[in-house]
C-alpha cells in the first residue's frame, strides 16, 4: 500500500500546475478519483489551524469538489507566519489515512486483547452512560478521571465537569514540561508560556540544554532563532548529542548525561563571584541573593569539569560570553524536561541564571506577552462540586500545580485515597506517554470503564472498552486557539474544510449527545460547533465573520520589556524574583538547587536517550503515508568508534535489553555516528507502534517506552523522569 503513493512524488509534483492535481500522487488509490474529478475547478480556501503538533499554526485548506487537495500556511498566523513544517504539510496524510478510526467500536474481548464489534453511536453512548452511572452510584463522580492531549479535549472537560468529575490530567505536565513550568513559577511567579516567551530574534546570546529545536519544528520559534542568527546572535548548546540545533551553534558542549545541573551551578557561581551579574536588576527585583551565593560556593569550574567532562576553561569562557551579552541573553527553559528526577531544580537553576543576567523582561531574553481572552459560553449552569471533600491526589508532590497522570495511575492501582474506576482518554497514546507500561496495564485492569477518543487506532486503543472515532482537525469546529505573543495576541479558529469522513464525529457533537443521554442537556444549549464559537465571540465583542474569513484575529498592544513606566510584577509570595525559595524550604526541599549525582551506565550498557524525529510528532504521525515515506522507522544512534569496537555495522538490525532484563519488542537499525558521546545511545520516540490497525507503523522500529521500566519521580511536582534507563545491544536480530 505504502509504495503506491509517495511523499517524494508529491513534493516533486507540487512544483507544477495546480495543487489539486499535484496532491493526487500523494493520495491513496481510493481517493484518487476524487482529485481527478476535481480537475482545475476553482478552489475554496478555508482557514483553520494545524493539530499535527500543539504549535497550532494557521493553515489554509484548498478544497475542490468537497476534497481537500492542498494546505498552505496562513500568512496572518503568528504561530506559522505563512509557513508549515514538513508534518504540517502532510495534513492530507492524516485526513486521508485509510487506517483511520471510522466508526464507534466496542471491545467484546479483554483489555489488551481486544475483539472489536462495530457499534452505532447510540449503542456506544448508551454503554458509556450506563457504566458512568454505575460508577457514580457506587463510588461517586470522583471515581472518574480524564487524561487528555489536544484541542478537542475542552469539550470533554466541559462534559465531565458537568457530571461532577474533578480529576483531569495532561501527560504534557508530568511527562513533559511540568518541571520547567514549576521551576519558573517558583522563581518568577510565572511560567514561560507555550509558545514560549523567548525573544530569540533579538537575542545576542542563546543557550539551550538538550533541546530538539528544529527537530521539533516549533514553527515561529525556529523562524525567530534564524532571525537571531542573521543578526549575529551567538549560541551554545549543551547536549550529549550533536542535535540539529547544536550543529548550528558556536559551541556544542557534549556534556556527560545527567550532569547539566552541575554546569548550571558552576555558571551561577562564576557570574556571582566575578561580579558579572546585573547588580541593579538583582537589587531591585530579586530576593535571596546572599543565600544563593552561600549555597553555590562548592560548585567551582574545576569541580564542574570533573562532573560534566567539560573543561573548566570552556565553562569559564562561556560564562564570560553570556555576561558580555547580558541582558540580551536567553537561556532556554526547554520543553521536554522530565529527565532525572531533580528536573524542577534544574529548571530553577536556569531561571536563576537568567535572573542574574537580567534577561527576564529584557530585549533578547524573555519578553512579557500580550494576552487575549474569549469569554465562556454565556448563561451555562454552574458545575456541581460533589467531590470537593475528596483528598488531594497529588499531596505527595507539594508543587504539582496541575493534577498528574502519575497520581491518577497510582491511585487507580492502590484505590487510595479513594477508588478511580473509569478513565476517559482523549488524543493520548498512554502506552507511549507514561513510563512503566506494565504498571499502566495494571491500572487499566483495575478499571470498570475505559473510553478512548482518537482519530487513529494507536496502541492505547487496544486497552479501551469503547472507542469513539473523532474526525480529524480538517473536518471539525473545535476550541479556539488563543496565543500570547510579543506585543500581540492571537485568536485562531478551527473550522471544517470538509464534512467528516466515514462515521467519525467532532467532539462538540459527541459530548452534546452523550451529555443529553446523561441528563446534562442544559450544559449543551448550542445547536452545533459553529454556534458554540459564534456565541462566545459575540459575548466578547469578537468579529466572528472576520475570524471565519481570515482564520485569525490579531490584537496589538502591551509592553514586552521592562521600562521606567512598565515595571514588572512577580507572582511569587515575596513579589520578587526568588533566588532562594522559602516556599521550597517550608516543604523541606532545597531552597537553592543543589547537585545530586545520578547513577551511570553499568559496564556494557549505554544510557538510553530519546527525542524528536523532525518529520514526525511521535506516534501521532508514524502511520501518515506522506511521512512514513520519508522516515518509517527509528534508528539507534551510537558513537561510531564505540560501535565499531563492538563490531556493529551501519544499517545492521539489533535488539535492545535494559538494566531490568526487559527486551524491547522488535528490532532497530544501527546508525554509527560521531554526533553522540560514547556513554549513551539515542533514538527517536514514537516508533515501535504495536497496533495492528496502524498498518504502516505497526512493528516499525523500537519503542523506547518498552525499555523505560525505571523512572524517578520529581519530589517537587510529581514529574516522571525517564532518562535513567540503560540498555545493552544484542546482535543478531
Ligand atoms: Fe503543524 Fe508543523 Fe505548525 Fe506543528 S509546527 S502545528 S506540525 S505546521
Amino acid at each position: 500500500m505504502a509504495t503506491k503513493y509517495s511523499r517524494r512524488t508529491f513534493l516533486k509534483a507540487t512544483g507544477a500546475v495546480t495543487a489539486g492535481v499535484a496532491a493526487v500522487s500523494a493520495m491513496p488509490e481510493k481517493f484518487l478519483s476524487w482529485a481527478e474529478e476535481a480537475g482545475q475547478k476553482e478552489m475554496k480556501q478555508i482557514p483553520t489551524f494545524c493539530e499535527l503538533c500543539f504549535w497550532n499554526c494557521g493553515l489554509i485548506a484548498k478544497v475542490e469538489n468537497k476534497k481537500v487537495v492542498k494546505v498552505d500556511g496562513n500568512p496572518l498566523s503568528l504561530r506559522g507566519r505563512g509557513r508549515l513544517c514538513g508534518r504540517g504539510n502532510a495534513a492530507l496524510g492524516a485526513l486521508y489515512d485509510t487506517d483511520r478510526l471510522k466508526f464507534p467500536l466496542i471491545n467484546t474481548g479483554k483489555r489488551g486483547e481486544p475483539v472489536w464489534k462495530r457499534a452505532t453511536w447510540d449503542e456506544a453512548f448508551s454503554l458509556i452512560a450506563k457504566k458512568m452511572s454505575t460508577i457514580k452510584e457506587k463510588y461517586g463522580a470522583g471515581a472518574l478521571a480524564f487524561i487528555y492531549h489536544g484541542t478537542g479535549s475542552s469539550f470533554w472537560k466541559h462534559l465531565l465537569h458537568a457530571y461532577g468529575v474533578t480529576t483531569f490530567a495532561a501527560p504534557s505536565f508530568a511527562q513533559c514540561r511540568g518541571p520547567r513550568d514549576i521551576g519558573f513559577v517558583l522563581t518568577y511567579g510565572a511560567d514561560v508560556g507555550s509558545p514560549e516567551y523567548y525573544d530569540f530574534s533579538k537575542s545576542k546570546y542563546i543557550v539551550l540544554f538538550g533541546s530538539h529545536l528544529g527537530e521539533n519544528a516549533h514553527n515561529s520559534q525556529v523562524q525567530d532563532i534564524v532571525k537571531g542568527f542573521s543578526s549575529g546572535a551567538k549560541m551554545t548548546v549543551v547536549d550529549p548529542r550533536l542535535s540539529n540545533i547544536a550543529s548550528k551553534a558556536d559551541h556544542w558542549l557534549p556534556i556527560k548525561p545527567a550532569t547539566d545541573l552541575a554546569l548550571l551551578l558552576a555558571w551561577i557561581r562564576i557570574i556571582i563571584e566575578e561580579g558579572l551579574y546585573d547588580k541593579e536588576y538583582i537589587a531591585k527585583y530579586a530576593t535571596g541573593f546572599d543565600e544563593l551565593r552561600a549555597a553555590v560556593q562548592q560548585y567551582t569550574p574545576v569541580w564542574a569539569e570533573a562532573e560534566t567532562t567539560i573543561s573548566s576553561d570552556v565553562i569559564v569562557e562561556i560564562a564570560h560570553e553570556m555576561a558580555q551579552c547580558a541582558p540580551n541573553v536567553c537561556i532556554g527553559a526547554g520543553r521536554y524536561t522530565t529527565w532525572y528526577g531533580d528536573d524542577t531544580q534544574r529548571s530553577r537553576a536556569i531561571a536563576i541564571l537568567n535572573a542574574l543576567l537580567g534577561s527576564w523582561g529584557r530585549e533578547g531574553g524573555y519578553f512579557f506577552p500580550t494576552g487575549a481572552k474569549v469569554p465562556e459560553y454565556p448563561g451555562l449552569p454552574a458545575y456541581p462540586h460533589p467531590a470537593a471533600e475528596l483528598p488531594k491526589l497529588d499531596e505527595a508532590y507539594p508543587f504539582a500545580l496541575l493534577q498528574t497522570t502519575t497520581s491518577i495511575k497510582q491511585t487507580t492501582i492502590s484505590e487510595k485515597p479513594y477508588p478511580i474506576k473509569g478513565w476517559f482518554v482523549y488524543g493520548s497514546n498512554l502506552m507511549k506517554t507514561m513510563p512503566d507500561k506494565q504498571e499502566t496495564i495494571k491500572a487499566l485492569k483495575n478499571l470498570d470503564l475505559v473510553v478512548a477518543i482518537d482519530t487513529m487506532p494507536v496502541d492505547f486503543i487496544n486497552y479501551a472498552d469503547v472507542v469513539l472515532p473523532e474526525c480529524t482537525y480538517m473536518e471539525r469546529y473545535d476550541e479556539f486557539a488563543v496565543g500570547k505573543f510579543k506585543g500581540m495576541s492571537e485568536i485562531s479558529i478551527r473550522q471544517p474544510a470538509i464534512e467528516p469522513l466515514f462515521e467519525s464525529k467532532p467532539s462538540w457533537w459527541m459530548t452534546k449527545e452523550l451529555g443529553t443521554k446523561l441528563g446534562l442537556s442544559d450544559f449543551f444549549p448550542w445547536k452545533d460547533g459553529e454556534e458554540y464559537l459564534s456565541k462566545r465571540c459575540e459575548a466578547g465583542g469578537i468579529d466572528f465573520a472576520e475570524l471565519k474569513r481570515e482564520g485569525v484575529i490579531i490584537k496589538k498592544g502591551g509592553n514586552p520589556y521592562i521600562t521606567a513606566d512598565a515595571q514588572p510584577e512577580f507572582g511569587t509570595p515575596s513579589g520578587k524574583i526568588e533566588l532562594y525559595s522559602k516556599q521550597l524550604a517550608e516543604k523541606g526541599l532545597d531552597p537553592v538547587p543543589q547537585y545530586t549525582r545520578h547513577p551511570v551506565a553499568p559496564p556494557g550498557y549505554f544510557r538510553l536517550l530519546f527525542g524528536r524525529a523532525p518529520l514526525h510528532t511521535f506516534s501521532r504521525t508514524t502511520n501518515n503515508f506522506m511521512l512514513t515515506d520519508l522516515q518509517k522507522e527509528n534508528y539507534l544512534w551510537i558513537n561510531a568508534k564505540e560501535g565499531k569496537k563492538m563490531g556493529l555495522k551501519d544499517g545492521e538490525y539489533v535488539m535492545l535489553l535494559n538494566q531490568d532484563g526487559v527486551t524491547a519488542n522488535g528490532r532497530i537499525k544501527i546508525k554509527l555516528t560521531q554526533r553522540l558521546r560514547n556513554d549513551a545511545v539515542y533514538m527517536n520516540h514514537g516508533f515501535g507502534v504495536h497496533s495492528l490497525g496502524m498498518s504502516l507503523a505497526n512493528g516499525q522500529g523500537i519503542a523506547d517506552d518498552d525499555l523505560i521500566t525505571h523512572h524517578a519521580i520529581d519530589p517537587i511536582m510529581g514529574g516522571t523522569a525517564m532518562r535513567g534507563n540503560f540498555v545493552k545491544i544484542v546482535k543478531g536480530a
Side-chain angles (χ1 to χ4, degrees):
M1 175 87 68
T3 51
K4 291 189 179 162
Y5 35 87
S6 102
R7 165 75 175 203
R8 283 193 184 86
T9 2
F10 173 72
L11 291 174
K12 214 166 137 195
T14 45
V17 286
T18 68
V21 175
V24 170
S25 59
M27 288 185 189
E29 254 171 46
K30 125 172 236 190
F31 298 101
L32 205 61
S33 57
W34 293 0
E36 278 166 353
E37 275 168 31
Q40 302 288 323
K41 284 177 199 154
E42 194 187 341
M43 279 179 185
K44 268 205 277 173
Q45 307 210 28
I46 314 285
T48 184
F49 63 86
C50 181
E51 187 79 4
L52 286 178
C53 87
F54 63 86
W55 210 256
N56 295 149
C57 302
L59 65 82
I60 296 173
K62 310 285 174 77
V63 182
E64 286 181 345
N65 203 22
K66 298 186 183 165
K67 321 294 178 312
V68 181
V69 293
K70 191 177 190 299
V71 293
D72 283 323
N74 182 347
L76 301 175
S77 159
L78 297 180
R79 298 162 191 262
R81 303 176 192 152
R83 292 176 185 179
L84 299 174
C85 75
R87 297 165 299 159
N89 269 304
L92 274 66
L95 174 61
Y96 295 126
D97 191 326
T98 50
D99 287 342
R100 271 177 58 174
L101 290 166
K102 301 178 181 74
F103 27 76
L105 297 169
I106 292 175
N107 185 359
T108 60
K110 291 186 193 155
R111 293 195 189 119
E113 295 166 47
V115 178
W116 297 117
K117 175 184 145 231
R118 179 175 176 169
T120 63
W121 279 101
D122 192 57
E123 278 172 323
F125 288 148
S126 297
L127 179 62
I128 295 169
K130 192 170 152 215
K131 289 202 173 192
M132 286 174 79
S133 304
T134 308
I135 291 170
K136 191 175 186 176
E137 256 167 46
K138 207 162 161 192
Y139 308 100
L144 292 164
F146 183 46
I147 302 176
Y148 60 92
H149 186 81
T151 314
S153 61
S154 66
F155 294 101
W156 291 95
K157 274 187 229 163
H158 174 62
L159 169 72
L160 293 167
H161 269 304
Y163 197 65
V165 176
T166 53
T167 302
F168 299 82
S172 56
F173 182 71
Q175 276 74 51
C176 188
R177 50 180 266 218
R180 71 124 202 233
D181 288 346
I182 300 304
F184 273 70
V185 166
L186 285 166
T187 312
Y188 293 97
D191 66 31
V192 301
S194 176
E196 289 83 3
Y197 313 140
Y198 301 151
D199 199 18
F200 282 157
S201 63
K202 298 282 182 189
S203 296
K204 291 188 180 149
Y205 206 95
I206 297 165
V207 181
L208 299 174
F209 280 82
S211 167
H212 299 139
L213 191 57
E215 284 156 304
N216 60 14
H218 293 167
N219 197 338
S220 50
Q221 199 169 79
V222 173
Q223 295 182 48
D224 280 345
I225 212 162
V226 170
K227 269 194 205 161
F229 290 155
S230 60
S231 308
K234 289 190 84 174
M235 182 165 70
T236 289
V237 174
V238 183
D239 196 325
R241 179 178 71 101
L242 185 76
S243 60
N244 285 9
I245 194 70
S247 71
K248 309 284 178 288
D250 299 276
H251 301 281
W252 168 44
L253 307 188
I255 193 166
K256 179 177 168 187
T259 65
D260 308 73
L261 186 51
L263 176 62
L264 281 157
L265 291 167
W267 276 342
I268 288 172
R269 186 184 183 281
I270 296 164
I271 299 286
I272 291 176
E273 292 310 310
E274 296 192 22
L276 302 173
Y277 60 97
D278 189 329
K279 296 178 189 70
E280 200 185 321
Y281 183 95
I282 290 296
K284 195 165 177 186
Y285 301 124
T287 175
F289 179 79
D290 293 339
E291 292 92 334
L292 170 68
R293 182 176 199 162
V296 297
Q297 281 311 301
Q298 70 270 39
Y299 303 125
T300 63
V302 172
W303 167 84
E305 176 176 330
E307 290 300 316
T308 63
T309 70
I310 297 166
S311 121
S312 55
D313 290 346
V314 172
I315 294 174
V316 172
E317 180 193 340
I318 290 169
H320 290 173
E321 285 183 6
M322 283 190 271
Q324 276 156 17
C325 295
N328 315 114
V329 177
C330 188
I331 301 155
R335 183 122 196 150
Y336 166 64
T337 49
T338 43
W339 295 356
Y340 304 113
D342 53 359
D343 304 304
T344 304
Q345 292 290 14
R346 186 182 65 253
S347 171
R348 277 262 301 147
I350 292 174
I352 288 168
L353 190 55
N354 275 297
L356 292 171
L357 296 166
S359 73
W360 185 260
R362 292 285 191 55
E363 186 173 270
Y366 286 73
F367 62 79
F368 298 135
T370 297
K373 208 169 167 21
V374 185
E376 295 303 323
Y377 194 93
L380 289 179
Y383 293 137
H385 297 288
E389 328 74 53
L390 289 176
K392 196 171 169 278
L393 278 192
D394 290 299
E395 203 64 64
Y397 316 117
F399 297 94
L401 301 184
L402 297 176
Q403 289 177 305
T404 67
T405 46
T406 315
S407 295
I408 292 178
K409 186 157 91 167
Q410 288 165 347
T411 305
T412 304
I413 293 170
S414 67
E415 304 198 7
K416 290 191 175 68
Y418 54 83
I420 289 184
K421 289 293 174 185
W423 285 10
F424 280 74
V425 178
Y426 176 91
S428 289
N429 189 3
L430 295 188
M431 307 322 288
K432 297 210 159 296
T433 310
M434 299 213 273
D436 201 338
K437 211 172 277 190
Q438 292 315 315
E439 195 183 57
T440 307
I441 292 170
K442 197 170 165 193
L444 286 164
K445 291 204 166 144
N446 210 21
L447 292 165
D448 295 343
L449 173 65
V450 183
V451 178
I453 306 115
D454 216 311
T455 59
M456 292 297 296
V458 296
D459 313 49
F460 178 71
I461 295 301
N462 297 304
Y463 292 85
D465 303 331
V466 187
V467 176
L468 303 179
E470 191 179 38
C471 54
T472 70
Y473 62 96
M474 302 292 285
E475 305 158 281
R476 67 189 198 226
Y477 282 105
D478 214 331
E479 188 51 82
F480 297 106
V482 180
K484 300 177 185 176
F485 296 88
K486 190 168 86 173
M488 284 185 274
S489 66
E490 178 186 78
I491 298 168
S492 314
I493 189 170
R494 173 168 288 149
Q495 53 188 335
I498 59 167
E499 288 297 308
L501 296 176
F502 316 112
E503 289 177 26
S504 64
K505 294 284 185 187
S507 278
W508 68 258
W509 181 89
M510 291 188 242
T511 48
K512 183 175 164 69
E513 293 294 311
L514 181 55
T516 304
K517 246 187 212 309
L518 292 166
L520 299 170
S521 53
D522 286 358
F523 287 87
F524 297 90
W526 41 87
K527 181 175 80 198
D528 54 27
E530 184 173 18
E531 188 180 278
Y532 166 78
L533 298 176
S534 69
K535 282 267 166 66
R536 288 181 59 196
C537 280
E538 205 178 288
I542 299 158
D543 186 338
F544 187 63
E546 183 189 344
L547 189 54
K548 282 201 69 164
R549 191 178 61 248
E550 307 291 351
V552 294
I553 286 185
I554 290 160
K555 287 255 159 29
K556 292 191 177 169
N559 195 336
Y561 308 127
I562 297 173
T563 64
D565 297 334
Q567 286 297 298
E569 286 175 10
F570 301 101
T572 53
S574 63
K576 294 203 162 197
I577 301 169
E578 298 198 342
L579 305 174
Y580 173 96
S581 172
K582 281 192 187 148
Q583 294 190 81
L584 286 172
E586 279 162 15
K587 297 288 179 191
L589 298 156
D590 288 333
V592 169
Q594 295 295 296
Y595 183 67
T596 316
R597 198 170 284 159
H598 296 290
V600 294
Y605 286 78
F606 299 86
R607 186 180 294 274
L608 175 63
L609 301 177
F610 48 89
R612 289 263 188 181
L615 287 161
H616 284 286
T617 305
F618 309 138
S619 57
R620 185 178 291 199
T621 59
T622 44
N623 205 68
N624 184 313
F625 61 84
M626 295 167 82
L627 299 175
T628 50
D629 190 44
L630 297 174
Q631 186 183 356
K632 69 170 189 202
E633 62 190 313
N634 54 358
Y635 300 87
L636 187 74
W637 291 36
I638 180 166
N639 175 278
K641 228 174 175 179
E642 202 64 32
K644 278 181 191 152
K645 260 200 268 167
M646 295 168 68
L648 294 168
K649 294 199 180 63
D650 225 15
E652 165 185 3
Y653 277 107
V654 296
M655 291 176 68
L656 295 178
L657 179 78
N658 83 353
Q659 72 283 338
D660 296 325
V662 173
T663 312
N665 191 350
R667 57 189 200 150
I668 187 165
K669 259 185 192 169
I670 287 287
K671 175 184 164 119
L672 298 175
T673 178
Q674 292 174 4
R675 292 173 58 179
L676 186 66
R677 286 174 59 99
N678 64 359
D679 48 4
V681 288
Y682 171 83
M683 65 170 78
N684 290 142
H685 177 69
F687 291 90
V689 166
H690 301 297
S691 179
L692 293 175
M694 303 264 282
S695 64
L696 298 183
N698 187 47
Q700 297 290 349
I702 271 184
D704 53 86
D705 32 278
D706 282 348
L707 299 159
I708 300 175
T709 52
H710 167 80
H711 65 276
I713 298 187
D714 190 316
I716 298 178
M717 49 62 67
T720 53
M722 293 177 269
R723 290 199 169 172
N725 289 271
F726 305 103
V727 295
K728 193 176 201 167
I729 295 170
V730 182
K731 291 184 65 163

